[in-house]
Amino acid sequence: MTGHPVSRRLTLGVIGAAAFAGRTLAQGGGDPLPSWRPGARRDAILRFVAEVTRDGGPGFVPPAERIAAFDNDGTLWVEQPLYVQFIFILDRVRALAPRNPAWRDDPVFRAAIDGDLRAATAGGTAGLLRLAGAAQSGLSPEAFQGVVAEWLAGARDRRWGRPYTALVYQPMLELLAFLRANGFTTFIVSGGGVDFIRAFAEPVYGVPPHQVIGTTFALRTGDQDGRVTLTREPQIDFVDDGAGKPVGISRHIGRRPIAAFGNSDGDYEMLRFVTEGPGPRFGMIVHHDDAEREYAYDRDSHVGRLSRAMDEAPDRGWQLVSMRDDWSRIFPG
Amino acid sequence: MTGHPVSRRLTLGVIGAAAFAGRTLAQGGGDPLPSWRPGARRDAILRFVAEVTRDGGPGFVPPAERIAAFDNDGTLWVEQPLYVQFIFILDRVRALAPRNPAWRDDPVFRAAIDGDLRAATAGGTAGLLRLAGAAQSGLSPEAFQGVVAEWLAGARDRRWGRPYTALVYQPMLELLAFLRANGFTTFIVSGGGVDFIRAFAEPVYGVPPHQVIGTTFALRTGDQDGRVTLTREPQIDFVDDGAGKPVGISRHIGRRPIAAFGNSDGDYEMLRFVTEGPGPRFGMIVHHDDAEREYAYDRDSHVGRLSRAMDEAPDRGWQLVSMRDDWSRIFPG
């Protein structure tokens, strides 16, 4: 994505300042985690990082092996009331509808176009995948990233009236920056579409495109007007969620991370894969228990269901973060 | 691969010294490319790097977009008389044969076990894929990388009597280090197996596992003895060669590289994909024309065939490197 004007604009936007402030703090010797309240979770982070970076200590991990994996939806940014990518898909279906008149004959598409969420999702996963395929295919990955970046620049969340890229968790931005300042390489490992996340991960999280792992759609190669072309197809060919996360990690990173951060049962296998390795390990789950400042949900949520991973957290040594108690601030700015 | 004792040993081996020497030169202000003879190819490299790094200049490329893609076999190390990975596969089939007595009833496997190369390859691609699958499946990616690293530590090339990791091209090590010293992120994009290359890419090339893209085998997930497991399956699920290389690049890097280095028609689509992008671009082909110091082959070779990419190189502005004329030294040490 050479050029990438929209991403550049995002860099200078609401989020850039906060993310870079976190980075400066971590490197400047001040409090690296100002939005984490004193307590067990904050202590656990500081203890783990001190342990793996203490040269000559029993838990020392060379920088090349300091790999940290972060889920995205619900771990780095808001996923309620709907995944941001699903809101994008609905908007995009509406935008493309005039060019696709036949869509109105399909109940799922007609519902999406009319903004009838209940009917649009009534078709279950099969219907959602058809919407996702139609809304996100036909472009090159580069052009698609541009479409996403442009949408993100204009779209606003209804509850806060802010861009979705402003609804990222300030404590997690500080954590990302703190880990990087201590020699970690930070990866996103998401069930979301890889090109969708790559459209904003670098300016917003400081994570370059090649450190984003996600669900992928098939790519078709071609040769058109004297150029090699890549075109996104409507079919998903890899689902980076649940048991798929260790697979995505292994294929992409080729080395087991030593720290993993998630918020739902979709992160359960990743958390186990990471924390079952030898040597110092760190697993953390963000628990959404703050209806006032964000949302409160876990076992019964249709988005970001958290049950088994929470039940097993104590025995597995995973830190359960209370957004309400452990975070003094939720969003930047 | 936390721990990875064999890789650590390799770091301290014959190659480490040469690779790090190249890095120091590039950063220390001396000649960054001492093994490149003065001439058009060397000038083209220096000019390109000067152009993209000149802040405020018309060709400036921000560091995040300075991505370089390198083929491996025949571009970074020797691929004649057979791909190193194929030699590994044959050795591994022999090593596993006592535990698999039924293999002797299969002509392809029997030939491989008996060291009859002609008969082992007579089955064509299908036979080779069966050998590759049998030799490389059944282990976790981590354990498989360990097997490869151990094999590389002991195996010797017949012609030079040296480890294969010593038969890497010193001018290309210098080029990798020079690009990195100028803010580039260097990736390997190979038709070889990704876990095979990850077993040595970091100590030998300075390329971490997550910057290696290659052909992949299917992975099976499981849960055994209370651990999440990943097991390599015998089936290839992605071939990172030819038209597959732009696909592998797009999925893994998510951004079009601005420089590509190859040596065969398997790199043709990658070279085009990279050099057809906007702004400054660099494409280079290593031409094996030095039978005395290495090998001489192109159009008629069964390994690393180079024909179309060479024919189109002048029109496409790709640099054709003569190993004989442009390189003062082939191997490190």
Side-chain angles (χ1 to χ4, degrees):
Chain A
M1 285 231 68
T2 302
H4 207 326
V6 181
S7 273
R8 288 239 185 76
R9 244 184 290 139
L10 277 174
T11 311
L12 305 169
V14 280
I15 286 313
F20 282 94
R23 203 168 300 165
T24 307
L25 275 169
Q27 290 170 337
D31 180 355
L33 301 172
S35 304
W36 289 78
R37 291 204 182 102
R41 258 62 62 193
R42 183 186 151 91
D43 289 348
I45 295 167
L46 295 173
R47 205 167 44 236
F48 172 72
V49 171
E51 180 184 12
V52 301
T53 55
R54 192 163 50 237
D55 209 343
F60 179 74
V61 175
E65 295 171 17
R66 290 182 207 153
I67 306 282
F70 288 79
D71 171 57
N72 182 45
D73 294 307
T75 298
L76 296 178
W77 77 353
V78 172
E79 64 181 350
Q80 297 282 4
L82 287 172
Y83 295 121
V84 176
Q85 188 169 6
F86 187 55
I87 301 170
F88 164 78
I89 288 168
L90 292 176
D91 277 2
R92 181 110 178 116
V93 165
R94 273 189 289 271
L96 296 175
R99 277 185 268 163
N100 296 273
W103 283 356
R104 290 205 71 87
D105 302 331
D106 181 318
V108 169
F109 280 72
R110 192 170 57 239
I113 295 164
D114 295 342
D116 181 350
L117 264 187
R118 188 178 302 268
T121 56
T125 305
L128 296 178
L129 288 180
R130 281 199 301 126
L131 287 172
Q136 303 183 113
S137 61
L139 296 175
S140 72
E142 291 169 328
F144 178 72
Q145 284 183 30
V147 166
V148 173
E150 197 154 356
W151 178 82
L152 284 170
R156 294 293 179 270
D157 171 85
R158 288 198 191 170
R159 176 167 166 192
W160 288 282
R162 299 177 68 183
Y164 296 105
T165 50
L167 301 178
V168 296
Y169 306 131
Q170 174 63 22
M172 297 305 282
L173 296 180
E174 293 166 7
L175 183 53
L176 282 163
F178 178 56
L179 291 173
R180 287 194 292 261
N182 281 282
F184 278 77
T185 307
T186 52
F187 286 83
I188 291 173
V189 182
S190 171
V194 69
D195 289 322
F196 185 84
I197 300 168
R198 283 170 174 164
F200 66 94
E202 190 155 42
V204 174
Y205 302 134
V207 175
H210 67 268
Q211 287 163 217
V212 177
I213 306 168
T215 293
T216 55
F217 285 75
L219 286 176
R220 190 178 71 243
T221 57
D223 196 334
Q224 215 172 0
D225 305 325
R227 311 247 150 201
V228 169
T229 59
L230 293 177
T231 308
R232 290 172 55 96
E233 294 273 80
Q235 296 80 32
I236 285 179
D237 64 3
F238 175 66
V239 177
D240 190 55
D241 198 32
K245 289 202 174 189
V247 174
I249 286 171
S250 177
R251 302 185 68 160
H252 193 107
I253 307 180
R255 170 177 267 161
R256 197 188 291 237
I258 63 168
F261 304 85
N263 77 299
S264 80
D265 283 356
D267 303 312
Y268 172 77
E269 285 87 351
M270 172 172 78
L271 282 160
R272 280 191 53 191
F273 180 67
V274 167
T275 58
E276 285 169 4
R281 300 278 151 176
F282 194 81
M284 180 171 263
I285 296 170
V286 175
H287 187 205
H288 294 261
D289 58 358
D290 193 334
E292 199 179 318
R293 294 189 300 171
E294 203 242 9
Y295 292 96
Y297 59 97
D298 45 45
R299 294 182 199 282
D300 303 318
S301 179
H302 62 297
V303 165
R305 180 170 182 273
L306 173 65
S307 176
R308 183 178 187 183
M310 182 163 60
D311 292 339
E312 298 185 14
D315 280 353
R316 296 191 179 277
W318 298 339
Q319 301 289 330
L320 195 68
V321 172
S322 162
M323 291 182 80
R324 191 186 52 208
D325 299 335
D326 292 325
W327 290 359
S328 64
R329 194 152 62 122
I330 306 287
F331 302 124
Chain B
M1 288 229 64
T2 303
H4 209 328
V6 182
S7 274
R8 289 239 185 74
R9 244 183 289 139
L10 278 173
T11 311
L12 305 169
V14 281
I15 287 313
F20 283 94
R23 202 169 301 163
T24 308
L25 274 170
Q27 290 170 337
D31 180 356
L33 301 172
S35 304
W36 289 78
R37 291 205 181 100
R41 258 62 61 193
R42 182 188 154 89
D43 289 349
I45 295 168
L46 295 173
R47 205 167 46 235
F48 172 73
V49 171
E51 181 185 12
V52 301
T53 56
R54 193 163 50 238
D55 208 343
F60 180 74
V61 175
E65 294 171 17
R66 291 182 207 153
I67 306 281
F70 288 80
D71 171 57
N72 182 45
D73 294 307
T75 298
L76 295 179
W77 77 353
V78 172
E79 65 181 351
Q80 296 283 4
L82 288 170
Y83 295 121
V84 176
Q85 188 169 4
F86 187 56
I87 301 171
F88 164 77
I89 289 168
L90 293 176
D91 277 2
R92 180 109 178 118
V93 165
R94 273 190 288 272
L96 297 175
R99 276 185 269 161
N100 296 274
W103 282 358
R104 290 206 71 88
D105 301 332
D106 181 318
V108 168
F109 280 72
R110 193 170 54 238
I113 294 164
D114 295 341
D116 180 350
L117 265 187
R118 189 178 302 268
T121 57
T125 305
L128 295 178
L129 288 180
R130 282 199 300 126
L131 288 172
Q136 303 182 113
S137 62
L139 296 176
S140 72
E142 291 169 327
F144 178 72
Q145 283 182 31
V147 166
V148 173
E150 196 154 357
W151 179 82
L152 285 169
R156 295 292 178 272
D157 172 84
R158 288 199 192 170
R159 178 167 163 191
W160 287 282
R162 298 178 68 183
Y164 295 105
T165 49
L167 301 178
V168 295
Y169 305 131
Q170 175 64 21
M172 298 304 282
L173 296 180
E174 293 166 7
L175 183 52
L176 281 163
F178 177 56
L179 290 173
R180 286 195 291 261
N182 281 282
F184 278 78
T185 307
T186 52
F187 286 83
I188 291 173
V189 182
S190 170
V194 70
D195 289 321
F196 185 84
I197 300 168
R198 283 170 173 165
F200 66 94
E202 191 155 42
V204 173
Y205 301 133
V207 175
H210 67 269
Q211 287 162 219
V212 177
I213 306 168
T215 292
T216 55
F217 285 75
L219 286 176
R220 189 178 73 243
T221 57
D223 196 334
Q224 215 173 359
D225 304 326
R227 311 248 148 199
V228 168
T229 59
L230 293 176
T231 308
R232 289 172 55 95
E233 295 273 80
Q235 297 80 31
I236 286 178
D237 64 4
F238 175 65
V239 177
D240 190 56
D241 198 31
K245 289 202 175 189
V247 174
I249 286 171
S250 176
R251 302 184 69 159
H252 193 109
I253 307 180
R255 169 177 269 160
R256 197 187 292 237
I258 64 168
F261 305 84
N263 78 298
S264 79
D265 283 357
D267 304 311
Y268 173 78
E269 284 87 352
M270 172 172 77
L271 283 159
R272 280 191 54 191
F273 180 67
V274 167
T275 58
E276 284 168 6
R281 300 278 150 176
F282 194 79
M284 179 170 265
I285 296 170
V286 175
H287 187 203
H288 294 261
D289 59 357
D290 193 334
E292 200 179 315
R293 294 190 300 171
E294 203 243 9
Y295 293 96
Y297 59 98
D298 46 44
R299 293 182 200 283
D300 303 318
S301 179
H302 61 295
V303 164
R305 181 171 181 271
L306 173 64
S307 176
R308 184 178 187 183
M310 182 163 59
D311 291 340
E312 298 185 15
D315 280 354
R316 295 191 179 277
W318 299 339
Q319 301 290 329
L320 195 67
V321 171
S322 162
M323 290 183 79
R324 191 187 50 209
D325 300 335
D326 292 326
W327 290 359
S328 64
R329 194 151 64 121
I330 306 287
F331 303 123

